[in-house]
Structure formats: structure tokens, C-alpha cells
Amino acid sequence: MEQSLITIAIPIADDEDKSRQTEIERCLKPFGNLHRYPPLQDEAAYLQAKNNVREGTPADGVQASLLQWRLKATDIVHFMSLNVIPGTRRSSAHLLMEVSADGSPSTVLNRLATILSEEIPALWATLGLSGPEALERALLGHRLDVGPDWGHTLGLPFNGTPGMTVTRIAAEARLACTILADLLDEPMKQAASPLKALEHVRQKLWASGEKWAFFPEPIAWQGFTPWNVWIARISAGLGLFWPVLAGAVLVYALAHLTFGSGLRQWWWPSPWTFIGLLVLGVLGLAFALFRWLRRAEDLDDPPLASPSSTKIGPVMKQENHCANNHLFAVSRLKAGRFRPLTLRLAFLVIARMARFVYGPGALGELKTIHFARWVLIPGTDQLVFLSNYSGSWESYLEDFITKAHQGLTGVWSNTRGFPKTRNLFQDGATDGDRFKRWARSQQEPSRLWFCAYPDLTTGRIRLNALIRQGIASATTEREAADWLSCFGSAPRPASALEPADVPSLVFGGLSPFRYGAALILNLKDGNAAKWLASVEERVIYGDVLPEDDEDALVLAFSARGLAKIGLSDRDLATFPVAFQDGMNASWRARNLGDIERNDPKKWAWGNEPAVDAILLLYAKEEHLFDEALRRREEELSSFGHRVLQKIVFTPLPKKPEAELMAPADRTSARPPAPIGQVEAFGFVDGVSQPIIRGTRRWTAERDRNHLVQPGEIVLGYPDNRNKVPPSPSVLSADDPRNLLPSLEGSADRSRPDFSRPQSTAEHDLGRGGTFLVVRQLEQDTAAFREFVGRAASDLEGDPRVPGICGIAENGSWPNSSAAGATARPSCAIPTSPARSAIRRPAPTTTSCSRTTIPMACAAPSERMCAEPIHGIPSDRAIRPSSSPSATATGSCGSGGAITLKGNSRRRVSSSCA
């Protein structure tokens, strides 16, 4: 439906004593903010109140309540206000009417003329208007066609909820309240999943006759793709100078048509030369305008505004009677012939930015405005700002200062007393305190103001629209979870991490679990999915570790293992080729340097027999670990699976032992690490680990240099370049319960968003997971110390040895400081025997085999995820990575993996078990 932002300015022909203006203000005095008074509940109450007015015994505020009821009963008026613009020495006062409504201007004014002539007859009689017909003609005759382009009354209208009619807003608000009540009942609380909860609500709505909610209506502010900001800027410039361009082209064409070849007797430019000269002329005009503006800004010295309580008191009296408020401000343009031109430029820039960059219903990040407009009253220097907004005046101005100050400055920098600006759009409103004082001093009291939905903010209207849209369109578990988030929380951006779906591996090394082991597995065909379902409850996810004393599992599958749990060849083809082939493929081995002594044929494990999965097991106490390891081995045997290799990790030191701290490095932003947590060469373990934005640790200031976007490690999220990397997928037919989200690659898609057509052919198997590389390393510490000793003898007398040689090899000082730090701590190499990285016989050669296990970590039942191996040097050898080709340095064993999100495993369990 068409929506109209109507602005009407009726001049008040008055004498010097302003008697007519005073009478108009007296007629409007009983109204003000109509929501200061209780609304009438029905037509009977309206008729009773109307009768009291006729009898001369109206209660306080009854006239306001009567008008409020009439306006609300139209079901088309969103907001309406009547205001008086004071006159100046050069211009008369005006009665300003502002209407935001559904329908064409003529339809809206026809209905309003009847209501206003009956409810406020004395006001219109003061202006010489008697009856609805005369009032309608006057309203139509004085309506201003407001816009930033030439040919319109100079101004800028704005609609913050485009396409949302009064009836739709009211209906969706009632729907949201009904659903919220349903969410509190017992069947809803006991729903097994978000999608089940949504289906429960749908069934109740359908049974109660709310079938209209199942037919979605478009939401204008969703699905918008922003253009380049320069498109908006160039469009604004053309909008300002097109009369000059059009006039010059017209003169050139007329001259050419009139005189034809006769022009050749004199110099006359060719069309291309003329275009070039025209462009240069426009650029020269723009430069001259800019120089004039800069000179005016340099000379500007605005006084500090000091709004008096006498003037502001009536304004503040009308505020905060409901969730929404009204702002009516009158400013005067600065002197200068070019001020209307720079004002038009500011309006054009804002309008084009809203159209090409911000999208419908938004001014940058400012989304609290229902309807607003700037308008320069014709024949005057008075610039009026009218805004219907959510929240308090203080929060509204603060939003302007922090989120939309450039546009605000661009407009009001052309008015008197505004804080000092630069280049039209800069500074100004950023001087928050001065701007707020100035803004208060410009305000005039709203003589009459109506709102059709006083208790609904713009944010609530948007959420209600999403709730209704989700009822009609949400189909997957993630969309259902997004739909539930509309009740009590703000919509989340696409980049917001969901830790509960991410394997715990991503968030740290599970140091509270001191004991651990890795079981390298070969799975029996036909039993893989059944075994997966049996262990899924102990596989851990999220950045909060379990507090119980039981064991914790991390599970990772190779491409071969994924096939055994039910993924088809088509599904596996959506994984990167490097993952599908594994690191033991000849071309991968050559690329990674796994040749000669490190050839895959010489690996301890990972080549033949093929590895299908790795099960990492952790426990806090030794007796719990021994019992859990025994139980898991028996469980694997019962399903017919083989343990190809069992690697028991060296226990981590107890906390009291770890409290012995290394000497502090005052140049490092990271706290010193415990001496006990070092790798085999004596260097602190776990240095320079990336921290994902959105986790609990990312807000720590000392960790900012390690911060990365989620998509750098976790699939399904934007990376540091704001791109969503490709993610493995399955066909929608293989996910009949819609547990997985639709496959998408938009980094800027807001959530919830059910408006855009979703991809139904493929579902995202990888979201929340990560690729992973596992390397089992064996290091020759004796050879390392021998090398350091030889190097130290060559540098005898240098105070930096022997530590500096080891630092050059490892890239850090033993206490975790970067090798390039200027203030270098002491760094003696430990003389105690190096601990064994793992409990297994050490090979006779210093370059033992590398194992390559491309693996995938999935959610409970299909979340397959490998974890850091306790005690293995060099960052514990198992590192998450968004690339399947990532490697960990070393010369003993390795493997790659992808970790999959929490809901992914249910798809495998349900379809393959």
C-alpha cells in the first residue's frame, strides 16, 4: 500500500499583536501529547465523552482522548502533529501539519478533514475555514511536496518502517503477544528442538484461526544489497548540478540547430570538446562553492546556546508519556546566497546514501526513527525538523551523535548557532554537549501529537515482522532457533559466533583434563554410525568445559571415515580436494616435504592400514582416565573397530606446580607462563594462539594482537576479508528433519532473516566446524642442545649465548617473549633431561615418520573433532585451521581434519544409524 508523508504549512495572516497566532495556540492547548491521557476503550465510551463535552462538563483531557480515539479508528494514520512556527520580522507565522499515513494524500486528507473539523472546530474557524470541504481544500492547497531534488519544496522525508501499514503493525503485535503466551506453556518448554517448538506454535495458531500469519508479507529493509558509497556521492553531485548541465546542453543544441553551419565562421567547440569544457566548468563551480564554504566556516564563531527553562519546560512536559516521542525544532538559515545550495547538497547526499548504501528504513546504524522530515518553509529562512522516534530525547540525540553525526552536521551546519563545522559534514554534532544544548534551544512544544502505536518501538515493530515471517517461512533448525531469539533478544548478525556448535578444540587445549590419550582407529563397515551414536553424548563442544568428573571425548574422521558413517560420494566431493586425498597422497607428500626419510611409507601410522578416525580421550584424574580408556577400548571392540595405535599423553602438571612462574617480561602484553608448561626444548608451550572474535577471551586487551574473525578458523562465518569460505554440504533430501542450515555465503546477511529465498537444494554440513591438522612429532633434544653448544662456542664472550641460538631456531625466548623483543630476558636452556613427548618407544632415527590423517570433527553424533595431544611439543601438535592444507612442523606424525557443527551429527545419526 502507498504510504504518504504529508507536510502542510498554512500561513497565519496576523497583526503585530499576533492575536491570531495566540488564539490558535489557545485552541490547541487542551491537546499536546494526546497520550498523556487514558485512551477511550470503545465507541460507547467515545459517545459518552462526546455528550459530556456538549453539556459543558468534560473531564480534564477528554478532548484529547476523543481526538485520539477518532484518529486511531481510521486505521491509516501512523503519526500526526499540529505545530505553530513562530513568525519573524521577514515572514509570518505558520500552522504546520505533519501526517504519516497509509494511502494517497488526497484519501488521507479527505478523512482527516472530517475528523479535525468536528473535533477542533474553533481552530479552523480562527483561520476562516468552516466545514470539512473548506478544510480539505485548504489542506490540499497548502500541502508541500517535500524532497531534496529540484522542483520540490526543499527538504528530506524519511520513513523508518517502509511498507508497514497501521493494521499490519497492530496485527503482528497481537500475534507476538499470543505466541509469547504459548511459549510459556508446558508442551512448549518440553519441545525437543527449536523446530519442534515452532511447529507446536504453528499448530496452535492454525487451530485458533490465525491462518493469515502463514502468508508472509515482504519486509522492505531485508534483502538489500548496498552499492558503493561513491555511487551515492556522484549521484548527489549530479542531482545538485543537473540544471547547469541541462541548461548548457540546451543552449548548445539550440545554437547548433538555429545557426547550423554558420557557426563555423567563428570558433565553435565540437560536441566532445563541449562536454569536456562543461565538465571543467562544473568542477570549477564546485570548487568555487567549496572555497566559499570553507571561508564561511573559518569565519563562523557560534555562541554557546543557553536554552532557558521557561522555553524548554513546555517541551519537556510533552515527553516520555509512552515508548515513542516527538521532536519539533525550528532553526534559521545562516546568511548567504549559497546556503540553500549547500543545504540541498546535504539533503541529496543523505537521500542517496539512504537509497544506495544504507537501505530502506535506515540512516546508517540509526534505526530508532519511525517517520521524520526536514523542510525549509517556502518564502522563509526557517528550517523545520519533525521526528517521530523511539526512546527518550537524550538517547535519541546520543544515537545521532554516535551513529549519524555526519548527515546531521551536513544539514544543520547551514543554520545559525550550530557548533562549528568543517567541510559541511565534519565536526559539528560530534561536539556532543554543545550540540545537545543547541538542539534543545531550537525546540518548540508540540501543540498536538498522535501516535497509533504508543507502546511499540521501531525495534519491536521489526521483531514482530520477523516473528510473523518466521511462522510462514522458517524451515530449518537454525532458522527456528533464530525465530525463538526474537523473543527477548536482539537479532544477531551473521558474523556472531555460536560457541555451543563449535568443537571445544577451537577454544583451548583442555588443560583442566590432565590425562589423555589418542586412539587411532580403523572402523568396521556398517557399524560406524551406530558407534558414533553411542559416544556422542561425551563429545564436547563450546567454550565452557564440562564440570563433571567423567571423561571428555573429541572425535575426528578422515574422508574415508566420513564415507563409512554415511556420507555419499557427492557429499565428500564438497570437501576440499586436499582433505579428500589426505596428506599421504604422493602429490601432497611432495608438496609438504614428506620425502625420502619422511616418505609416507615410513610413517608409524596414517598410511596403511588406512586411518578412519581418531578418538581423543581426556580425564581429570589418573584413575578416571584408566577406567575411561578401558571402557572405550571395550566399546570399540564390541562394534568390530580396530585400534591401530594407542598414544598415551604425558600428564600435565598439577596447578600448584604450575604456579611457579618464569621471570616476567615487561615488554610482553601476555602474562608470563608457568615453568612447568614447556615443550621438549625448554620453551613455553602454547605461544601465539589465535583468539576468535566472539569468544569469552577476545575482549581482553592483551590478546588483541591475536584476534581473528571466526571465519579464519570456523566454517560458516566471515573471515578477516569479510568473505564466507566454502563449506561442505549435503543434499536437502539427506536432511529431511532440516537440522542443518541452508547453504549460504553472504557475510552481511542479518539474522533472523526469513525473507530471502533460501537454498533448498543444499544444507550446510560444515557450519560451526573447522579443518584440522594432526601431527605426531618426535624431537631430538640432545641433538638440539649439541647444536646450541657448538653455536655458543663460536660466539664465546657474547652475553646473549647460549639462549640466543635456540631462540633463532624457535622464534621466541624460552619464557614466551617474541624473538624480536628489545628487552630480552635471561634464557638459559634447561639442563634437565627432556621429557618424552609420548609414552612410546622412540625411533632410532631423528627423522621419524609423519602421519597424515585428514579428519573431520562433527557435532554429537557427527561432530568429529580432533583435539590437542597433551605433552606433544610445538603447540601440542594438533591445531585448528580453516585450511585443510595447514601443517604442524615436525617429523613424526600428522593428520588433517574438519570439525563440523553441533547439529550436523544428528543428520548422520538419523540417516545412517
Side-chain angles (χ1 to χ4, degrees), residues 6-14 20-29 31 80-87 91-99 116-117 120-129 135 138-144 328 330 375 377-378 380 382 384 386 445-449:
I6 303 170
T7 307
I8 298 168
I10 303 176
I12 303 175
D14 216 339
R20 184 168 293 179
Q21 177 181 332
T22 303
E23 179 61 21
I24 290 174
E25 292 173 352
R26 187 192 67 79
C27 293
L28 292 173
K29 187 175 181 180
F31 299 96
M80 194 197 84
S81 71
L82 286 171
N83 308 280
V84 176
I85 304 175
S91 60
S92 63
H94 286 76
L95 176 65
L96 187 68
M97 182 175 176
E98 162 209 16
V99 183
L116 295 177
S117 63
I120 326 176
L123 170 66
W124 311 112
T126 304
L127 293 171
L129 301 171
L135 178 56
L139 296 179
L140 288 171
H142 291 93
R143 186 173 73 88
L144 306 178
F328 168 49
V330 181
V375 57
I377 303 302
T380 76
Q382 293 174 301
V384 173
L386 297 155
S446 299
R447 304 293 178 175
L448 185 155
W449 180 66

Side-chain angles (χ1 to χ4, degrees), residues 1 3 72 75-79 100-102 159-178 212 217-219 221 324 369-371 390 451-468:
M1 176 182 284
Q3 290 185 307
K72 192 172 183 63
D75 285 333
I76 62 170
V77 179
H78 293 262
F79 294 88
S100 303
D102 303 321
N159 184 348
T161 53
M164 301 294 293
T165 65
V166 174
T167 53
R168 177 180 174 182
I169 290 172
E172 290 177 346
R174 289 192 299 270
L175 178 69
C177 291
T178 300
W212 62 271
E217 287 195 53
I219 298 179
W221 56 85
N324 301 311
I369 301 177
H370 292 276
F371 295 89
S390 299
C451 171
Y453 29 86
D455 298 323
L456 295 177
T457 64
T458 53
R460 189 68 252 176
I461 291 172
R462 290 167 179 263
L463 278 178
N464 291 344
L466 288 170
I467 290 170
R468 187 263 184 90

Side-chain angles (χ1 to χ4, degrees), residues 409 418-422 426-432 435:
T409 298
F418 190 74
K420 195 173 181 65
T421 60
R422 180 169 52 91
Q426 295 175 311
D427 299 339
T430 58
D431 190 349
F435 167 64

Side-chain angles (χ1 to χ4, degrees), residues 527-539 553 632 635-636 638-639 641 861 909:
N527 285 348
K530 296 177 182 178
W531 169 71
L532 178 60
S534 70
V535 300
E536 66 171 308
E537 293 303 325
R538 298 309 304 170
V539 180
L553 303 180
R632 296 306 173 194
E635 187 177 57
L636 287 164
S638 69
F639 282 95
H641 306 320
S861 263
S909 306

Side-chain angles (χ1 to χ4, degrees), residues 370-522:
H370 292 276
F371 295 89
R373 70 211 70 193
W374 266 294
V375 57
L376 182 64
I377 303 302
T380 76
D381 61 356
Q382 293 174 301
L383 178 66
V384 173
F385 180 57
L386 297 155
S387 180
N388 303 276
Y389 62 94
S390 299
S392 67
W393 180 88
E394 290 79 5
S395 63
Y396 181 52
L397 266 290
E398 197 63 38
D399 279 348
F400 260 128
I401 294 169
T402 58
K403 300 176 181 179
H405 58 87
Q406 289 182 319
L408 197 70
T409 298
V411 174
W412 270 331
S413 63
N414 295 285
T415 60
R416 303 178 188 181
F418 190 74
K420 195 173 181 65
T421 60
R422 180 169 52 91
N423 298 327
L424 189 63
F425 294 96
Q426 295 175 311
D427 299 339
T430 58
D431 190 349
D433 290 337
R434 283 184 171 82
F435 167 64
K436 289 179 180 179
R437 291 169 67 101
W438 178 86
R440 269 300 191 195
S441 69
Q442 305 303 296
Q443 281 188 258
E444 297 287 341
S446 299
R447 304 293 178 175
L448 185 155
W449 180 66
F450 165 78
C451 171
Y453 29 86
D455 298 323
L456 295 177
T457 64
T458 53
R460 189 68 252 176
I461 291 172
R462 290 167 179 263
L463 278 178
N464 291 344
L466 288 170
I467 290 170
R468 187 263 184 90
Q469 192 180 67
I471 289 290
S473 306
T475 57
T476 67
E477 284 288 353
R478 195 182 85 175
E479 289 175 341
D482 286 347
W483 180 80
L484 288 173
S485 74
C486 295
F487 299 91
S489 63
R492 59 187 299 133
S495 58
L497 187 68
E498 297 177 359
D501 281 340
V502 179
S504 298
L505 160 68
V506 171
F507 305 109
L510 303 183
S511 58
F513 295 87
R514 297 177 52 233
Y515 298 86
L519 302 181
I520 314 302
L521 307 178
N522 180 273

